[in-house]
Amino acid sequence: MRGAIRWVRTDLYAHRGQSALTVAVVAGVVAALVLAVMLLEGALNPWEQLFNRTRGADVLVYLAGGTPAAPLGGIAGVTQVAAPYDFAAATLVQGAQKFQVQLNGATPQPPPMSAPLVVAGTWLRAGQPGGVVVEASFAAAAGVGPGSRIVLDGVDGTTVPMRVVGVADTADQGFYPQWPPGLIWALPSLVATVEPVRSETTEVVGLRLADPSAAGTAEVTQGVFNAYNGLNNGLSEVSPVERVTTRQQVMDSMASDDRLLGELLALFGVIALVAAPCAIANVTSGRVLMQWRDLAMLKALGFTPGQVVRMLLAEQLALGVTGTALGLAAAELATSSQALDHPAAGIGVTLAPLPGTQSALIAAGAILTVLIATAIPAWRAGRVSPVAAVQPNPPGGHLSQVARLSLLVRLPAALVLGARDALTRRLPAALTVAGVSIPLAMITIALAVWSTVGAFTADPGRIGLAGALTVYTGGLSDAQTTALIAADRQVAASYPGAQFDTLLPGDNGTFVARAMGTSRDPYPFQAVQGRMFAAVGEAVAGQGFLNLMHVGVGSWIDPTIDGVPVILHIVGRTIEPGNSGDVVDFGLDSLPAPSASAPMFYSLVLRPGVSAASARAALLRASGSRLDIQVAANPAARLGMVRVVIVVAVVVLVLIAMANLLTATDVGLRDHVHEAGILKAMGLTPRQVTATLVVSTTIVTAIGIVAGVAAGLAVAPRLINAQGQASGMGWGIAASLPPATIAALLASALAAAVTAALVLSARAAHAQDPLLAARAPALDASRR
């Protein structure tokens, strides 16, 4: 036992660089996995951490103004009742646009439950009675921020000017506009100004529950209705409980806000789970392989196979535990900054807190991977013959095709010898190829996702968003609206449109029926399957709609749109990001009168180089702010978070690839160090020996690089399209990588491989003594 401990200590000290590399790789992988899990949790479940930070309510009860909240405390399962606050319904007027809002009364001191989280500006102050705070997603939709002047119209026509002092997030309601109305917080005095009649306001009370599960919440909700219906004593049929919202409803709303984002981030989770164990296994098994001749010497000195295996497991376990601890510490340090912990509805990246159990699971998985990666080569090392300590076995097999080709074209001797050694040892070569190709394949997939997101942003027409502006007539007639649009030189084309929420057959759901342009002049959708509609009665649809209706391209459908049956022939499929792809599009002339003669809006395609903001401002000026003009929101803009994840993933994968590359190169050089000494004894110069080693290692790594990039290019479109299919957008969203990017990736990887081989080979070529090489490699171990 004492001899084993001494050998482990001596080996770690003698190979400090290799030990440090193993610890660094394990630490980097553990830190990357922790960050990836936190980022994925933050993106896929944005409500959870926001709920915790704002101390959200499990249930919100909306009562008629003046209703007492005392009965809520007596309901079984309720552990805490928040102080009630009143809200008034109002309308935010922004030019010709009007937004329905809920004006909540709040105090300058944030409440202990359901406290909005300020992400810009400040919270309410007693010295600013006209100041308000706007919910973040509603502020983005309305185009307001700290310092903006707004006007609210009360139900009775009262007009109240206000000034936005802050923007905040809340876990009590989903993102606007999926969850209307827009939220605004104001001092109670300002709420009373907008709605002076208390009975016309609504009272909101937050509840915290002992059991916040769906079942526990349902019981409390029923208890709320029972408690207040009992107060009526049968005298009134109208319950004072106007509505109840639960944490499950808000969570589901936020979680389904961007299914494609979740699918793509889940793809990166798979990438991390595949690449991380491979990196740990590669560096761990590579270190064991480099010790074989030393282990053979131990066998010759009397160590049993079991002692050798236990010794290696103990050594690698110590390195794995050290690396895991450092990785957890690095992740904790990286996530301690508040700058990275941005709320869910903000622009930045959210890192969700990671429970201790998940951190422990990641740590245990990393250590288990180290042990598994050590066990197989350690078992083989325990069976190594003691003869290998004094006489290494030459590689078996025949010359590779690369070596034969180098002989045929009469390359210099150093290059021929390097080509011979590259693939002669088949198992180490295969491990090197696998260790290099897996991270390169993952990097290629990540870059393909980047290219796809970039294509959505650069060409919105690819996902049905060629129209940058949507114009509603507002206070003008259709003739006046079309005349203003036609006179605007910034507008390239205008398409009349109408949209209807339509029931599915059987009334078991809805879809969006949208008329865009006419059959002769259709809106410029891009069909990824079939063709665009070009005649009355033809239509194109999103994948979500085809799935809902259980039909495909070429099918006929007969939905009832705007109360009238319509027969449509689906001639193509488009990429549709809105409404989970549950959209069917056709010409306005496919609708029966009067729907066809009364467009609801006009979708405007702008000339190249014209910004949507400038075109909107020009139309508003021309119409005297009587038009209602909205900038078309591109859902792909929210995929910017994927870009952040891609950068993080690529950096981690590059580090993993470099660690694998250095490990593979070091293993290969250590395996060839005896031959290097022989080559010097034969008369080759150090430069020629270096060339031999560089060629040997570069050929293997180049095969891994090319194989990894080729595999990534083949797999990436299928993976990305599968995510689009699952999200409802449909197959065909993947964009190919530009040839320049592929060439740059290959060149960078090959340059890194050659550089690593040059540095390590030059050191090995100059360090080897030809006289020692002519004797036994075991003498090296005796000299250490």
Side-chain angles (χ1 to χ4, degrees):
M1 182 66 179
R2 182 176 300 175
I5 295 175
R6 291 181 60 188
W7 180 86
V8 170
R9 185 176 59 198
T10 303
D11 184 70
L12 292 175
Y13 181 79
H15 302 95
R16 286 168 290 185
Q18 299 168 6
S19 302
L21 179 62
T22 302
V23 171
V25 170
V26 174
V29 168
V30 169
L33 281 177
V34 170
L35 292 174
V37 172
M38 295 177 70
L39 188 60
L40 284 170
E41 185 66 20
L44 298 177
N45 189 9
W47 176 84
E48 186 69 37
Q49 65 275 12
L50 185 59
F51 178 86
N52 294 332
R53 295 189 66 186
T54 60
R55 304 180 298 277
D58 294 322
V59 173
L60 285 179
V61 181
Y62 294 80
L63 303 171
T67 303
L72 296 174
I75 298 174
V78 176
T79 60
Q80 184 180 354
V81 179
Y85 63 87
D86 292 337
F87 83 76
T91 302
L92 171 63
V93 181
Q94 290 282 90
Q97 299 185 68
K98 295 182 179 180
F99 303 90
Q100 298 301 313
V101 302
Q102 174 180 316
L103 186 63
N104 293 334
T107 60
Q109 183 65 30
M113 187 188 300
S114 297
L117 183 63
V118 176
V119 296
T122 63
W123 182 241
L124 302 175
R125 297 176 180 175
Q128 296 176 323
V132 296
V133 175
V134 184
E135 191 272 328
S137 61
F138 177 59
V144 299
S148 299
R149 300 285 181 176
I150 61 175
V151 175
L152 258 60
D153 289 346
V155 176
D156 61 354
T158 304
T159 300
V160 182
M162 304 175 183
R163 180 176 178 272
V164 178
V165 297
V167 175
D169 282 315
T170 180
D172 290 345
Q173 180 169 308
F175 298 140
Y176 185 88
Q178 287 82 0
W179 191 306
L183 292 184
I184 298 179
W185 293 272
L187 295 175
S189 59
L190 192 59
V191 176
T193 302
V194 174
E195 181 52 74
V197 182
R198 174 82 190 284
S199 60
E200 297 299 323
T201 63
T202 299
E203 188 174 310
V204 185
V205 186
L207 306 179
R208 189 67 57 80
L209 309 184
D211 179 15
S213 66
T217 302
E219 291 181 4
V220 171
T221 301
Q222 187 59 49
V224 170
F225 283 101
N226 293 339
Y228 282 97
N229 289 338
L231 290 178
N232 290 331
N233 295 322
L235 299 178
S236 173
E237 296 181 357
V238 180
S239 172
V241 182
E242 296 184 356
R243 73 177 191 273
V244 175
T245 61
T246 66
R247 59 185 289 168
Q248 285 80 16
Q249 292 173 325
V250 182
M251 181 171 58
D252 292 343
S253 173
M254 288 186 174
S256 63
D257 188 61
D258 201 328
R259 295 175 59 190
L260 180 59
L261 173 63
E263 297 285 348
L264 291 177
L265 289 176
L267 175 60
F268 284 109
V270 175
I271 291 175
L273 291 176
V274 172
C278 290
I280 295 176
N282 186 275
V283 71
T284 303
S285 59
R287 175 171 167 77
V288 174
L289 290 173
M290 288 188 289
Q291 296 171 307
W292 273 24
R293 290 181 184 173
D294 295 342
L295 297 174
M297 175 63 73
L298 294 178
K299 293 287 292 295
L301 293 175
F303 277 70
T304 65
Q307 287 177 314
V308 171
V309 173
R310 288 193 295 272
M311 209 161 46
L312 288 174
L313 287 175
E315 181 182 17
Q316 297 302 316
L317 179 62
L319 295 175
V321 170
T322 303
T324 300
L326 290 177
L328 291 175
E332 177 66 23
L333 181 63
T335 57
S336 61
S337 173
Q338 292 296 322
L340 294 177
D341 195 16
H342 196 74
I347 300 174
V349 178
T350 303
L351 294 176
L354 192 65
T357 54
Q358 293 191 22
S359 298
L361 186 62
I362 292 174
I367 295 173
L368 183 62
T369 302
V370 170
L371 292 177
I372 294 174
T374 304
I376 297 177
W379 176 74
R380 294 187 62 191
R383 299 177 59 192
V384 67
S385 172
V387 178
V390 294
Q391 181 61 50
N393 294 325
H398 303 284
L399 286 177
S400 64
Q401 295 298 325
V402 177
R404 294 175 185 272
L405 180 61
S406 63
L407 285 171
L408 183 64
V409 297
R410 298 182 180 275
L411 292 177
L415 301 184
V416 173
L417 291 172
R420 178 193 68 83
D421 287 341
L423 301 175
T424 305
R425 293 172 173 84
R426 304 293 173 84
L427 180 59
L431 292 176
T432 300
V433 170
V436 174
S437 61
I438 290 175
L440 263 295
M442 301 298 177
I443 291 174
T444 305
I445 294 172
L447 293 178
V449 175
W450 180 290
S451 180
T452 299
V453 174
F456 285 166
T457 306
D459 184 15
R462 192 165 175 266
I463 53 176
L465 297 175
L469 296 177
T470 303
V471 178
Y472 300 87
T473 54
L476 300 180
S477 65
D478 286 337
Q480 291 173 318
T481 301
T482 54
L484 284 174
I485 294 173
D488 194 327
R489 295 184 178 181
Q490 298 184 94
V491 178
S494 171
Y495 301 93
Q499 181 170 308
F500 308 92
D501 289 330
T502 306
L503 287 173
L504 286 168
D507 296 347
N508 57 351
T510 62
F511 65 92
V512 174
R514 190 169 57 190
M516 298 290 285
T518 62
S519 299
R520 291 186 176 183
D521 186 20
Y523 181 87
F525 291 109
Q526 294 186 18
V528 294
Q529 181 183 355
R531 60 176 177 83
M532 266 298 296
F533 59 83
V536 175
E538 293 184 344
V540 294
Q543 184 64 51
F545 174 80
L546 299 179
N547 295 340
L548 274 177
M549 297 290 289
H550 304 289
V551 297
V553 175
S555 301
W556 293 81
I557 59 174
D558 55 349
T560 300
I561 302 175
D562 197 24
V564 180
V566 178
I567 298 177
L568 296 175
H569 181 208
I570 300 176
V571 297
R573 178 175 64 82
T574 57
I575 297 176
E576 177 54 58
N579 204 47
S580 298
D582 305 340
V583 180
V584 59
D585 294 291
F586 43 85
L588 194 62
D589 49 352
S590 294
L591 289 174
S595 299
S597 60
M600 293 180 172
F601 57 83
Y602 296 87
S603 183
L604 309 186
V605 177
L606 304 180
R607 296 188 184 277
V610 177
S611 69
S614 64
R616 179 178 181 273
L619 281 172
L620 285 176
R621 285 194 303 269
S623 67
S625 296
R626 287 178 294 173
L627 287 177
D628 183 358
I629 306 173
Q630 298 180 8
V631 177
N634 188 347
R638 297 203 61 193
L639 296 179
M641 184 181 291
V642 177
R643 292 182 182 271
V644 178
V645 182
I646 292 173
V647 172
V648 175
V650 169
V651 170
V652 172
L653 290 170
V654 166
L655 294 177
I656 291 174
M658 289 302 299
N660 288 346
L661 182 62
L662 291 173
T663 301
T665 303
D666 206 5
V667 170
L669 292 177
R670 189 175 177 87
D671 200 31
H672 291 84
V673 70
H674 180 66
E675 286 86 343
I678 297 295
L679 294 175
K680 292 183 68 175
M682 292 170 57
L684 271 69
T685 65
R687 181 173 297 178
Q688 290 175 313
V689 173
T690 300
T692 300
L693 298 176
V694 169
V695 170
S696 176
T697 56
T698 302
I699 288 177
V700 179
T701 53
I703 293 175
I705 291 169
V706 174
V709 173
L713 291 174
V715 172
R718 293 175 173 82
L719 287 177
I720 297 171
N721 285 328
Q723 307 310 311
Q725 186 84 357
S727 69
M729 291 183 70
W731 196 275
I733 67 173
S736 58
L737 271 179
T741 302
I742 299 174
L745 178 61
L746 288 172
S748 301
L750 289 173
V754 173
T755 302
L758 276 172
V759 174
L760 297 177
S761 300
R763 186 177 61 184
H766 287 83
Q768 180 65 34
D769 188 343
L771 295 179
L772 289 175
R775 295 168 63 187
L779 294 179
D780 278 343
S782 66
R783 294 179 63 191
R784 287 197 294 269

